[in-house]
């Protein structure tokens, strides 16, 4: 049963990575059609919040039971990742910003090991290291190394927010009062939409773009169809499958598998947008796949046996 649960979690993690990875391919034509990147992010989050609002009402009891979890997920895992990533993009090359964001799984391992003081398997650590090297090849980090210090800090902030996405997704799963993942995501999107409204100022958006077509490669596609993909598949479906996969696997394994998002995004850009893949990118993609395979092969560390020479602490008496 445990093996089948892990296999199901791995499958969901891969599906989530594919869904997240498809966001850029659908969003880029909207940006090229005239929308500001932050406005696309606002449409993505606000649209997902609208779709998930019935779930928010259904799980309204979470507001009383888990207010900090809902606020943290919305501020950090939804708005934080998006805002810091796009802010870093304005100061450093896209590939470098993407690589910095996907340092999140490596930061997550550090959080688990040194803050939560939980064991981190060697397979998960090795998989994260291999995946980061592969990502450096996928985004071709050497193509732009004149880095702005503030841009680097913003990219690292996006990585921290991504790491906490996995922490929040796993929060409360080891207790009796386990929050429903659909309710957490619904309220996370609502909080994120409020934050992104302040940052993106959608009242300044060119709404007429959504009534026309956008170029997806050589094909003209209705802008609303692309937006529907971004909202329904690359956000709602991606977050739901991602959070459930974290609970079936573990944050450290799911985090490394999530590195496949960058590879999938690059491959989809090659197939649909005609963006050529270089040999280092293909090698890097193989390394990321290898890192994900290594990480998912990890097994929980066995509990440490108590030292018989150390006396057990006395139990408290009534």
């Amino acid at each position: 049963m445990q093996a089948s649960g892990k296999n199901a979690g791995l499958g969901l993690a891969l599906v989530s990575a594919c869904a997240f990875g498809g966001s850029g391919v659908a969003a880029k034509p909207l940006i090229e059609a005239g929308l500001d990147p932050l406005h696309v992010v606002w449409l993505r989050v606000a649209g997902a919040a609208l779709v998930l609002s019935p779930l928010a009402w259904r799980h309204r009891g979470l507001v009383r039971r888990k207010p900090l979890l809902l606020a943290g997920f919305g501020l950090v895992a939804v708005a934080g990742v998006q805002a810091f990533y796009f802010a870093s993009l304005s100061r450093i090359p896209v590939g470098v910003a993407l690589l910095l964001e996907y340092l999140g799984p490596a930061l997550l391992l550090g959080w688990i090991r040194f803050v939560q003081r939980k064991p981190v398997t060697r397979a998960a650590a090795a998989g994260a290291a291999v995946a980061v090297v592969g990502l450096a090849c996928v985004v071709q980090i050497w193509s732009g190394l004149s880095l702005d210090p503030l841009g680097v800090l913003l990219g690292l902030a996006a990585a921290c927010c991504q790491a906490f996405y996995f922490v929040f997704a796993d929060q409360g799963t080891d207790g009796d009062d386990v929050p429903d993942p659909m309710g957490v995501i619904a309220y996370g999107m609502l909080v994120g939409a409020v934050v992104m409204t302040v940052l993106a100022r959608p009242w300044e958006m060119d709404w007429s773009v959504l009534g026309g077509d956008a170029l997806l490669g050589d094909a003209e596609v209705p802008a609303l169809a692309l937006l529907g993909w971004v909202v329904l598949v690359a956000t709602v479906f991606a977050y739901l499958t991602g959070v459930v996969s974290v609970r079936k696997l573990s944050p450290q394994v799911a985090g490394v598998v999530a590195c496949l998002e960058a590879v999938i995004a690059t491959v989809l850009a090659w197939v649909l947008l005609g963006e050529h893949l270089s040999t280092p990118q293909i090698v890097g993609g193989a390394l990321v796949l290898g890192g994900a395979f290594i990480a998912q092969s990890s097994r929980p560390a066995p509990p440490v046996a108590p030292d018989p020479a150390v006396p057990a602490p006395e139990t408290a008496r009534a």
Side-chain angles (χ1 to χ4, degrees), residues 87-114:
S88 69
L89 279 182
S90 66
R91 309 185 71 93
I92 58 178
V94 175
V96 180
L98 190 63
L99 176 63
L100 288 173
E101 179 187 353
Y102 280 94
L103 289 177
L107 296 177
L108 174 65
L109 295 181
W111 173 269
I112 293 173
R113 178 65 183 88
F114 298 109

Side-chain angles (χ1 to χ4, degrees), residues 31 35-44 82-84 86-87 196 199-202 205:
I31 295 171
L35 288 181
D36 184 271
L38 273 181
H39 290 157
V40 175
V41 174
W42 178 82
L43 286 168
R44 176 185 185 181
Q82 305 286 345
F84 284 122
F86 278 99
M196 290 307 304
L199 296 176
R201 295 179 291 183
M205 182 171 60

